[in-house]
Amino acid sequence: MTTVHHDALRAVNGVLLPGFTGTDAPGWLLAACEEGLAGVVYFAYNTPDVATTARLSAHLHEVSPDLLITIDEEGGDVSRLEAVTGSSIPGAAALGAVDDEDLTERVALALGRLLAATGVDLDLAPVLDVNSRTENPVVGVRAFGATPGLVSRHGAAFVQGLHRAGVGACGKHFPGHGATDVDSHLSLPVVDDPLATIRERDLPPFVRAFEPDVDIDSIMTAHLLVPAIGPRPVSLEPAAAVLARELGFEGPIITDALDMGAVTGGDGIGEVAVQAIEGGADLLCLGTTVGRDDEALFRQAQAALLAAVEDGRVTIERLRASAARTARTVRRVRERQASAGTTCGPAEATAALEALAAVGQEAAERAVRVHGPATHLDPAGPAPDVVDLRQRFDHAAGRTAQHVQTALVAAFPDTTLHSFSDPAGWEGVLATISATTERPLVVVTREPVPGSREAGMLDALRAARPGLVAIHTGFPDAVPAWFGDRTTVVVACGTGRANARAAVGQLTALTSEVTR
């Protein structure tokens, strides 16, 4: 290998943030670590339990002490460290509903201590999107709320909590993904609003995060088209990076996963990776999927960038400038880790997880509330029928969580769970529920938007069983408009394990106070 090619390879590796499958680092990844790889991003495939994660991180940091280990750990609906069991903490919407900044910081501090104990350097959180569109399919309960002031305050508190624990933070999805009605995992959303609107509605949480007392470490750009900013998707758009710098941000700009449907075409991610660098990105998140060749995805991006250097589209100096931003971030994180006295290890991670559960349950119980008529399920009475009305697969969470059903079965062992996958389908479920009146009926909802299939099924069940109870796992602000005042709705503010337990606990309480 010539010196020039070796330099180019190290420079290219210095902007790549690949994922991989499994709990042991594959050979190609370890070789890349020795050749200047910037970092890795963990997914649930890597983190079956916190002890395994800690051992994996320790190995990677032994091979490459400056490797930036990142993870999507928002809490609530989006958890990688607790993907199997469900998160011990509620997500951002619950924290915004409580609106106690001290609580938000304490939750983030406990989460940060778990991340540090598992060897994670940078959390790809918090979500700083202002969920201004209630039917948003990809943000929803991942946001602290629907107003820039609320999101700004709690986003700042979350970052400060992570920093106290010695962990870096990444604000996403710049310049704001909250006004969309399209999931960027599938296709490209368009936010066709004037820049003045975006500055007033979407940018304040990021501006607050850039201020010196918060000093967020990185931002993640969104895969959405904002014509007021430029003609390309934000994650590939030079004007978007310029805007972030003009607002005072100096750290690394990370792309959302480049394998998402919003930006990746039939030719793979190679050209997209080059365009992201041309657009001002510093770290390219490559993503991963079970059953796919992770190394091939990495090699596509690597080869395309090497070719771009050879062709003069991208210079080695440009790549090194991005690597320098990442290196400064790693140094900052290492300094925080030393100050916080963090230690990565299985025992430390297990203890941190127990501490996280305590503050998480407090937050979830404070967040859950009841809308509509007061009611409760008597633990000594008949077990309920349960129908899950949720229609949309949650691409950010990676699965459709069943934590509400699990909590109901724990409270009522004889609970009957009705499934649309039965041969009779929805019509059969409706007929069964209509004929069964001696058992309470609980439905699980997420987006009963008027005119949607979920709303139609909810209306049919309410007509058949007017006294049903809904456990709503979607965005809480939409409850009055979507349900009216006649139905009892337990507002869980998410579908994570902590949310579900708190919601079922509220439902089964012998007394119930209604909060509208």
Short mmCIF file of all heavy atoms in Angstrom, two decimals, residues 85 357 361 364-365 403-404 407 496-508:
data_model
loop_
_atom_site.label_atom_id
_atom_site.label_comp_id
_atom_site.label_asym_id
_atom_site.label_seq_id
_atom_site.Cartn_x
_atom_site.Cartn_y
_atom_site.Cartn_z
N THR A 85 -36.17 -6.09 27.03
CA THR A 85 -37.11 -5.95 28.15
C THR A 85 -37.98 -4.71 28.06
O THR A 85 -39.03 -4.64 28.69
CB THR A 85 -36.33 -5.87 29.47
OG1 THR A 85 -35.49 -4.69 29.45
CG2 THR A 85 -35.46 -7.10 29.67
N ALA A 357 -33.81 2.23 36.94
CA ALA A 357 -35.19 1.78 37.07
C ALA A 357 -35.95 2.58 38.13
O ALA A 357 -37.14 2.88 37.96
CB ALA A 357 -35.22 0.29 37.41
N GLN A 361 -39.21 4.79 37.02
CA GLN A 361 -40.57 4.52 37.45
C GLN A 361 -41.21 5.74 38.08
O GLN A 361 -42.40 6.01 37.90
CB GLN A 361 -40.60 3.34 38.42
CG GLN A 361 -41.96 2.68 38.50
CD GLN A 361 -42.45 2.15 37.15
OE1 GLN A 361 -41.66 1.66 36.33
NE2 GLN A 361 -43.74 2.26 36.89
N ALA A 364 -42.27 7.92 35.15
CA ALA A 364 -43.42 7.37 34.42
C ALA A 364 -44.70 7.55 35.21
O ALA A 364 -45.75 7.90 34.64
CB ALA A 364 -43.18 5.89 34.12
N GLU A 365 -44.65 7.31 36.51
CA GLU A 365 -45.85 7.44 37.33
C GLU A 365 -46.31 8.89 37.43
O GLU A 365 -47.52 9.17 37.48
CB GLU A 365 -45.59 6.85 38.71
CG GLU A 365 -45.48 5.33 38.68
CD GLU A 365 -45.08 4.74 40.02
OE1 GLU A 365 -44.86 5.53 40.98
OE2 GLU A 365 -44.99 3.50 40.12
N HIS A 403 -45.42 -4.09 25.73
CA HIS A 403 -45.24 -3.91 27.17
C HIS A 403 -46.57 -3.64 27.88
O HIS A 403 -46.74 -4.03 29.04
CB HIS A 403 -44.25 -2.78 27.44
CG HIS A 403 -42.92 -3.01 26.81
ND1 HIS A 403 -42.18 -4.15 27.02
CD2 HIS A 403 -42.20 -2.25 25.94
CE1 HIS A 403 -41.06 -4.08 26.32
NE2 HIS A 403 -41.06 -2.96 25.66
N VAL A 404 -47.53 -2.99 27.21
CA VAL A 404 -48.84 -2.77 27.84
C VAL A 404 -49.51 -4.12 28.08
O VAL A 404 -50.06 -4.38 29.16
CB VAL A 404 -49.71 -1.86 26.96
CG1 VAL A 404 -51.14 -1.81 27.51
CG2 VAL A 404 -49.12 -0.46 26.90
N ALA A 407 -47.90 -5.91 30.97
CA ALA A 407 -48.27 -5.35 32.28
C ALA A 407 -49.70 -5.73 32.65
O ALA A 407 -49.99 -5.99 33.83
CB ALA A 407 -48.11 -3.83 32.25
N GLY A 496 -43.03 2.32 26.19
CA GLY A 496 -41.94 1.62 26.86
C GLY A 496 -42.42 0.87 28.09
O GLY A 496 -43.56 1.01 28.53
N ARG A 497 -41.52 0.08 28.65
CA ARG A 497 -41.89 -0.75 29.80
C ARG A 497 -42.30 0.10 31.00
O ARG A 497 -43.30 -0.20 31.68
CB ARG A 497 -40.72 -1.66 30.18
CG ARG A 497 -40.95 -2.52 31.41
CD ARG A 497 -39.91 -3.61 31.51
NE ARG A 497 -38.56 -3.08 31.48
CZ ARG A 497 -37.81 -2.80 32.55
NH1 ARG A 497 -38.32 -2.99 33.77
NH2 ARG A 497 -36.59 -2.35 32.42
N ALA A 498 -41.55 1.17 31.28
CA ALA A 498 -41.90 2.02 32.42
C ALA A 498 -43.24 2.70 32.19
O ALA A 498 -44.07 2.79 33.11
CB ALA A 498 -40.81 3.07 32.65
N ASN A 499 -43.48 3.18 30.96
CA ASN A 499 -44.77 3.79 30.64
C ASN A 499 -45.92 2.81 30.85
O ASN A 499 -46.95 3.15 31.44
CB ASN A 499 -44.80 4.24 29.17
CG ASN A 499 -43.68 5.17 28.79
OD1 ASN A 499 -42.57 4.72 28.54
ND2 ASN A 499 -43.96 6.46 28.73
N ALA A 500 -45.73 1.59 30.36
CA ALA A 500 -46.80 0.58 30.42
C ALA A 500 -47.14 0.23 31.86
O ALA A 500 -48.31 0.14 32.24
CB ALA A 500 -46.38 -0.65 29.64
N ARG A 501 -46.13 0.01 32.68
CA ARG A 501 -46.38 -0.35 34.07
C ARG A 501 -47.11 0.77 34.80
O ARG A 501 -48.04 0.52 35.58
CB ARG A 501 -45.05 -0.65 34.76
CG ARG A 501 -44.44 -1.98 34.35
CD ARG A 501 -43.14 -2.23 35.10
NE ARG A 501 -42.62 -3.57 34.84
CZ ARG A 501 -41.48 -4.03 35.36
NH1 ARG A 501 -40.78 -3.27 36.17
NH2 ARG A 501 -41.06 -5.25 35.08
N ALA A 502 -46.70 2.01 34.54
CA ALA A 502 -47.36 3.13 35.21
C ALA A 502 -48.80 3.27 34.75
O ALA A 502 -49.70 3.56 35.55
CB ALA A 502 -46.59 4.43 34.95
N ALA A 503 -49.05 3.07 33.46
CA ALA A 503 -50.41 3.19 32.93
C ALA A 503 -51.32 2.12 33.51
O ALA A 503 -52.45 2.41 33.93
CB ALA A 503 -50.39 3.10 31.41
N VAL A 504 -50.86 0.89 33.55
CA VAL A 504 -51.68 -0.19 34.11
C VAL A 504 -51.86 0.01 35.60
O VAL A 504 -52.94 -0.26 36.16
CB VAL A 504 -51.06 -1.56 33.78
CG1 VAL A 504 -51.80 -2.67 34.51
CG2 VAL A 504 -51.10 -1.80 32.27
N GLY A 505 -50.83 0.51 36.27
CA GLY A 505 -50.97 0.81 37.69
C GLY A 505 -52.03 1.85 37.95
O GLY A 505 -52.82 1.74 38.89
N GLN A 506 -52.09 2.88 37.10
CA GLN A 506 -53.12 3.90 37.23
C GLN A 506 -54.50 3.31 36.98
O GLN A 506 -55.47 3.61 37.67
CB GLN A 506 -52.85 5.03 36.23
CG GLN A 506 -53.93 6.09 36.13
CD GLN A 506 -53.99 6.95 37.37
OE1 GLN A 506 -52.99 7.15 38.05
NE2 GLN A 506 -55.16 7.49 37.67
N LEU A 507 -54.58 2.44 35.98
CA LEU A 507 -55.86 1.85 35.60
C LEU A 507 -56.42 0.95 36.69
O LEU A 507 -57.64 0.86 36.90
CB LEU A 507 -55.69 1.06 34.30
CG LEU A 507 -56.93 0.48 33.64
CD1 LEU A 507 -57.91 1.59 33.29
CD2 LEU A 507 -56.55 -0.31 32.41
N THR A 508 -55.55 0.27 37.39
CA THR A 508 -55.99 -0.69 38.40
C THR A 508 -56.08 -0.09 39.80
O THR A 508 -56.44 -0.79 40.75
CB THR A 508 -55.05 -1.90 38.45
OG1 THR A 508 -53.72 -1.46 38.72
CG2 THR A 508 -55.08 -2.65 37.14
#
